[in-house]
Amino acid sequence: MRHAKVFVAIALSSSAFLVVLYSSLRSDANHTRKLFMQEDNPIQEVIVSMPPPVQQNTDPLPLMTAGPPVEISEDYRKAIKQSTAFWNRKQHSLFRKLDSKDNVTKADFGDWSKCSAISLESLSTNIQDFKSYPQDYQDFLSGMECRDPPILIDQPQKCQSEEDGEVYLLFAIKSVPGSFERRQTVRQTWGQEKVYEGGLRVRTVFLLGMWSMDDPNLNQLVSFEAQHFGDVLQWDFKDTFYNLTLKENAFFRWSLTRCPRVTFVFKGDDDVFVNTQTMLDYLRTLDPNKASKLYMGHIISNSDPIRDSNSKYYVPKTFFEGGYSSYAGGGGFLFSGNLLTELYRVSKYIPFFSIDDVYTGMCFQALGIKPEAHDGFRTFDIRQEDRENACVHKNLILVHRRSPQQTLRLWRYVHSPLLTC
Ligand SMILES: *[C@@H]1O[C@H](CO)[C@@H](O)[C@H](O)[C@H]1NC(C)=O
Ligand SMILES: *[C@@H]1O[C@H](CO)[C@@H](O)[C@H](O)[C@H]1NC(C)=O
Ligand SMILES: *[C@@H]1O[C@H](CO)[C@@H](O)[C@H](O)[C@H]1NC(C)=O
């Protein structure tokens, strides 16, 4: 509650924000940490005062390679077409690896520091029209075996139990460094960290990668924001559309270590409107059986890859063939926290895909968990004439997409004691 007041106050006065920022950067606190040293950009080194460092030289998050053998459902295996497409071949080779009881080792996947990009030569040899792929897509392919990027900004205390008990719902919001206004809107509305009626603790994290060369460098602001609000996570990879699967992989690993007992996770975008109370009311009434195997949202079934190279969702034929497993739209979906370990471990046997929510659908199908549709999730928005209607929003769980101003207004209206629906 006190936090809420603090950031409302900050948000009201951007000049105060900057004054605080710069005085913080000059402060002499002895907990300094070098952040964001980039080999190709040595002058970008920034010293920011931070709380006592939570990590020294090693990444504090374990890789979770050990554990019981991973099992992949027959449904999923059957769904993956036998084809010469690159991804299909990779997937079938991982099935064989799993079946031969060879564990997937660091050498096969991951270990960021040792991971080398797949060479262009190898890609051109394996994919006849690789050179005609869009540049971004080529970049995605060359990095698709690199996993578990190091975390730069961590929030180790995020889910620590106080007298309030365990976290019931964790909001994991995909954002990018430049979207401060959207994050602030989420903090002031549906992503507010508090204990809801019935003792339900809600916590929020924003998932960020690094700025890319073409954007202004916001590292200092991001570090300040992370320190001030305690809800920003940042990893050392370029924050681009084709790196969203990597972002998800990084988040799974983080939450396994930092929030292993969370009951539910909501993963979504920073430009959606969420009706937190309606969501919690729904979750609370779930029967325990369902609550432990939940994967819910706006479900997209029987969809096929888009072959138009101008589309954001373009997938080349020589990369992937077959239909997509049913999946929940990435604008926002819910799942059970107790699935995090299995999800992370099964994902080691599923090659990264260029569309993150399609990838998530594959992982759930591999675990044998069917996505469940809920009418309250509207990732494709609602009728034009209802878009400012508070009564309509009161009964929905999620709507994509809303501007910060629309979200703030809707939030106010939905919670107004004067609202009679
Ligand atoms: C900061 O701490 C380091 C090691 O703990 C110490 O050597 C250094 O003198 C300290 N600097 C200041 C300004 O207190
Ligand atoms: C594979 O993983 C299992 C379970 O962690 C472990 O007992 C076994 O020794 C591993 N096998 C190899 C070849 O590393
Ligand atoms: C993903 O991030 C890595 C690490 O920063 C970068 O090398 C790669 O180009 C990025 N991939 C895409 C498709 O942007």
Side-chain angles (χ1 to χ4, degrees):
M1 219 30 229
R2 201 146 43 91
H3 269 73
K5 280 183 192 149
V6 171
F7 42 80
V8 169
I10 291 287
L12 286 177
S13 157
S14 57
S15 56
F17 184 86
L18 288 172
V19 169
V20 177
L21 167 66
Y22 288 109
S23 57
S24 145
L25 293 179
R26 274 198 304 270
S27 94
D28 278 330
N30 195 19
H31 301 302
T32 55
R33 192 161 63 127
K34 289 180 190 179
L35 287 179
F36 314 119
M37 262 191 80
Q38 291 266 311
E39 282 165 320
D40 45 359
N41 217 349
I43 50 165
Q44 300 293 0
E45 180 185 335
V46 171
I47 312 263
V48 182
S49 83
M50 295 288 282
V54 289
Q55 61 193 85
Q56 265 71 41
N57 297 321
T58 52
D59 196 309
L61 307 175
L63 286 166
M64 304 282 296
T65 40
V70 168
E71 282 180 41
I72 291 188
S73 74
E74 275 311 306
D75 260 11
Y76 179 70
R77 288 172 185 255
K78 287 206 199 98
I80 308 303
K81 199 169 162 180
Q82 293 279 358
S83 149
T84 55
F86 189 67
W87 188 95
N88 299 56
R89 274 187 283 152
K90 265 189 167 328
Q91 179 63 88
H92 282 285
S93 120
L94 282 169
F95 288 155
R96 285 191 295 275
K97 199 158 225 151
L98 180 63
D99 297 337
S100 73
K101 305 288 177 223
D102 276 355
N103 296 340
V104 168
T105 59
K106 285 184 176 182
D108 298 312
F109 259 153
D111 198 349
W112 190 261
S113 56
K114 297 194 192 71
C115 173
S116 52
I118 313 179
S119 73
L120 296 184
E121 200 182 333
S122 156
L123 288 167
S124 314
T125 311
N126 278 290
I127 305 172
Q128 85 247 0
D129 59 345
F130 179 72
K131 295 221 166 74
S132 71
Y133 284 15
Q135 186 56 51
D136 287 357
Y137 218 91
Q138 294 192 13
D139 292 348
F140 163 69
L141 262 87
S142 65
M144 71 183 273
E145 293 193 340
C146 299
R147 297 183 175 218
D148 301 302
I151 192 160
L152 298 172
I153 299 181
D154 191 1
Q155 303 294 346
Q157 318 292 328
K158 180 54 65 175
C159 291
Q160 275 198 356
S161 291
E162 297 147 22
E163 57 272 26
D164 299 343
E166 303 290 350
V167 171
Y168 187 73
L169 174 63
L170 177 67
F171 283 119
I173 314 301
K174 295 181 275 182
S175 190
V176 295
S179 295
F180 174 77
E181 198 185 359
R182 290 183 182 179
R183 289 192 289 279
Q184 192 58 25
T185 304
V186 173
R187 288 183 186 111
Q188 287 176 228
T189 58
W190 53 269
Q192 214 179 98
E193 299 196 315
K194 64 177 199 177
V195 180
Y196 276 78
E197 202 189 314
L200 308 180
R201 265 178 97 198
V202 171
R203 288 287 176 271
T204 300
V205 285
F206 295 98
L207 317 176
L208 268 60
M210 295 291 287
W211 98 107
S212 68
M213 282 306 177
D214 296 336
D215 294 326
N217 181 346
L218 301 177
N219 285 341
Q220 274 172 288
L221 275 170
V222 170
S223 321
F224 173 75
E225 186 187 343
Q227 200 184 348
H228 187 80
F229 296 105
D231 57 11
V232 171
L233 301 176
Q234 190 178 41
W235 287 271
D236 190 7
F237 63 82
K238 207 160 115 188
D239 211 334
T240 59
F241 177 73
Y242 289 129
N243 266 339
L244 284 176
T245 301
L246 179 64
K247 188 178 270 189
E248 178 157 281
N249 164 260
F251 165 69
F252 285 166
R253 180 165 157 233
W254 177 86
S255 50
L256 278 176
T257 312
R258 301 303 189 203
C259 299
R261 282 178 300 278
V262 60
T263 313
F264 295 105
V265 178
F266 169 91
K267 185 161 175 280
D269 289 335
D270 59 3
D271 59 350
V272 298
F273 175 83
V274 174
N275 205 337
T276 313
Q277 189 63 58
T278 311
M279 187 183 278
L280 292 171
D281 289 345
Y282 175 77
L283 290 173
R284 234 170 13 156
T285 60
L286 283 176
D287 78 68
N289 218 344
K290 194 156 148 184
S292 65
K293 287 191 170 2
L294 190 73
Y295 172 38
M296 170 172 280
H298 173 149
I299 307 307
I300 298 146
S301 298
N302 304 317
S303 71
D304 289 314
I306 292 175
R307 304 304 190 186
D308 170 6
S309 62
N310 295 317
S311 164
K312 181 178 177 190
Y313 301 105
Y314 170 59
V315 173
K317 238 180 147 70
T318 48
F319 178 67
F320 175 82
E321 270 201 286
Y324 294 149
S325 312
S326 297
Y327 65 98
F333 62 92
L334 276 165
F335 64 96
S336 314
N338 66 328
L339 297 174
L340 281 164
T341 309
E342 285 179 83
L343 272 172
Y344 177 72
R345 296 189 70 237
V346 85
S347 79
K348 296 213 182 259
Y349 290 89
I350 303 178
F352 275 0
F353 198 73
S354 49
I355 307 174
D356 64 330
D357 45 6
V358 170
Y359 185 77
T360 313
M362 292 169 173
C363 294
F364 276 99
Q365 191 185 25
L367 294 183
I369 292 174
K370 290 202 166 48
E372 190 171 345
H374 188 300
D375 240 15
F377 287 77
R378 302 297 179 90
T379 48
F380 296 142
D381 215 330
I382 53 177
R383 295 186 312 167
Q384 185 77 40
E385 59 265 39
D386 292 337
R387 291 189 185 169
E388 299 272 343
N389 184 330
C391 285
V392 170
H393 286 78
K394 205 176 164 81
N395 298 313
L396 294 174
I397 291 183
L398 171 143
V399 186
H400 187 243
R401 59 196 294 198
R402 290 291 177 269
S403 69
Q405 290 73 19
Q406 285 174 316
T407 293
L408 286 161
R409 200 159 51 233
L410 280 167
W411 187 257
R412 217 166 45 236
Y413 292 166
V414 165
H415 292 90
S416 164
L418 302 176
L419 183 69
T420 52
C421 295

